[in-house]
Amino acid sequence: MTILVVEKNKTVLQEMTELLEQTLPGEQVLTFTDSPNALAVARENRIDVAFLDAKLPEMDGFLLGRYLKDLYPTVNLVLMTKERADAFEAMSLRSSGCILLPPQKEAVGSELNDLRYPLGQNKDRRVFIQTFGNFELFADGVPVPFKYSKTKEIIAILVNNKGVQTTNGEMIACLWEDEGDPKVKSSYLSNLRQDLQNTLSDLGLTEIIIKQRGSMAIAKDKVECDLFEWLEKKKQSRYQYLGDYMNQFSWAEYVHAELDEIVYAEDE
């Protein structure tokens, strides 16, 4: 586990470090007094829990927290503040919690025992798929790089179809709509599928795709996905649909509308 602590006051930073080392001996604790350096290191190291000073200069704890969530959607954010009013803003960030300064051992222990995303869950699932907001595919907390942007779009199409086998023709229709020569598009799709195979193979993740002749599907049991969990658990899900879904893709509008209808029906 890697814990990030960002606190402008060096005395408080030292107190937090000592409390964490007492509570979780042997775990890695990264400490910083400023946001830019903390964010730079976070880009190179997966962060499981981040204790962030709400009043950091340059980039406050709320903005830093948003950047961290972009990097690691299941990071546990705990805001640290002297002002109780900041707790309300922490809720809007969908943080794990908030503690009042100066830090107390009981408060730190309580937050670590009640994390929003319990540590160790889904250890066998290295892949997290984000559909609420912009679509992104993460492997071990890092966005997966593909040679072609449309390769990632293929994954999005498969997720949008919720595990149902999707034919080459259906993928072509989404990727290019009515543009271009069908033979050229079919050839291009073959290149994209090869890029997908190569990228997932390099990461040891080929099992997340179920391939049949002329079609593919996402293996729902091999990935963690906000859409799949929300559809199953609704308000009990760790992920909540707030009106945004795969914002990059126009073809996603039909499922987007279905999600809105589910929300309206739940609220009635």
Side-chain angles (χ1 to χ4, degrees):
M1 181 202 319
T2 300
I3 303 171
L4 176 69
V5 184
V6 191
E7 166 59 56
K8 62 181 179 296
N9 186 301
K10 292 183 179 181
T11 299
V12 175
L13 183 63
Q14 182 61 34
E15 291 175 353
M16 276 296 302
T17 303
E18 292 174 357
L19 289 174
L20 288 168
E21 290 175 346
Q22 293 170 16
T23 307
L24 296 171
E27 302 295 349
Q28 183 179 32
V29 180
L30 305 176
T31 62
F32 295 90
T33 56
D34 66 288
S35 294
N37 283 324
L39 184 57
V41 170
R43 290 194 175 103
E44 303 297 328
N45 298 270
R46 178 180 175 82
I47 305 299
D48 298 296
V49 185
F51 288 86
L52 308 176
D53 179 0
K55 302 299 184 183
L56 289 166
E58 297 181 289
M59 183 193 308
D60 67 24
F62 299 101
L63 182 55
L64 175 58
R66 291 186 177 91
Y67 281 125
L68 291 175
K69 284 185 72 70
D70 286 341
L71 290 172
Y72 309 112
T74 57
V75 64
N76 290 285
L77 302 177
V78 181
L79 275 296
M80 303 184 297
T81 180
K82 292 182 179 179
E83 302 177 19
R84 292 183 179 276
D86 286 333
F88 293 100
E89 189 170 351
M91 291 175 60
S92 69
L93 186 60
R94 298 183 59 74
S95 63
S96 179
C98 183
I99 63 174
L100 294 176
L101 298 175
Q104 303 296 321
K105 185 175 182 178
E106 294 76 12
V108 172
S110 177
E111 291 298 338
L112 291 171
N113 287 328
D114 190 26
L115 294 171
R116 183 180 187 87
Y117 304 108
L119 300 175
Q121 67 181 7
N122 296 319
K123 276 189 174 180
D124 59 325
R125 296 185 181 182
R126 296 176 51 206
V127 176
F128 174 74
I129 300 175
Q130 173 183 298
T131 67
F132 297 159
N134 285 342
F135 175 85
E136 192 59 77
L137 175 71
F138 296 88
D140 300 322
V142 179
V144 174
F146 293 102
K147 184 177 180 180
Y148 307 107
S149 62
K150 284 192 177 297
T151 308
K152 183 170 78 171
E153 190 170 351
I154 287 178
I155 296 285
I157 293 167
L158 302 182
V159 172
N160 188 67
N161 286 347
K162 309 182 195 70
V164 174
Q165 283 287 329
T166 303
T167 67
N168 289 344
E170 291 169 329
M171 284 184 273
I172 287 173
C174 289
L175 291 169
W176 294 286
E177 298 180 344
D178 296 326
E179 300 176 4
D181 185 328
K183 291 183 179 180
V184 173
K185 289 188 286 188
S186 180
S187 177
Y188 192 8
L189 178 63
S190 295
N191 291 336
L192 296 177
R193 290 188 57 153
Q194 189 61 54
D195 180 40
L196 176 62
Q197 173 67 27
N198 293 343
T199 303
L200 295 181
S201 179
D202 288 344
L203 293 168
L205 295 173
T206 54
E207 74 278 1
I208 74 169
I209 300 296
I210 302 171
K211 293 189 293 185
Q212 295 183 1
R213 184 175 179 85
S215 68
M216 292 189 295
I218 194 77
K220 293 175 65 177
D221 62 328
K222 301 294 184 181
V223 302
E224 181 180 349
C225 176
D226 53 7
L227 172 66
F228 300 158
E229 181 172 313
W230 183 79
L231 287 173
E232 179 184 353
K233 299 181 180 179
K234 302 299 189 302
K235 293 181 180 180
Q236 282 69 49
S237 170
R238 292 164 294 169
Y239 313 105
Q240 289 300 307
Y241 171 67
L242 300 176
D244 291 315
Y245 174 74
M246 292 199 188
N247 292 334
Q248 310 104 303
F249 308 124
S250 60
W251 46 257
E253 62 186 11
Y254 298 106
V255 170
H256 194 170
E258 291 176 10
L259 301 181
D260 286 339
E261 290 179 3
I262 293 172
V263 172
Y264 296 148
E266 289 273 315
D267 291 341
E268 288 181 354

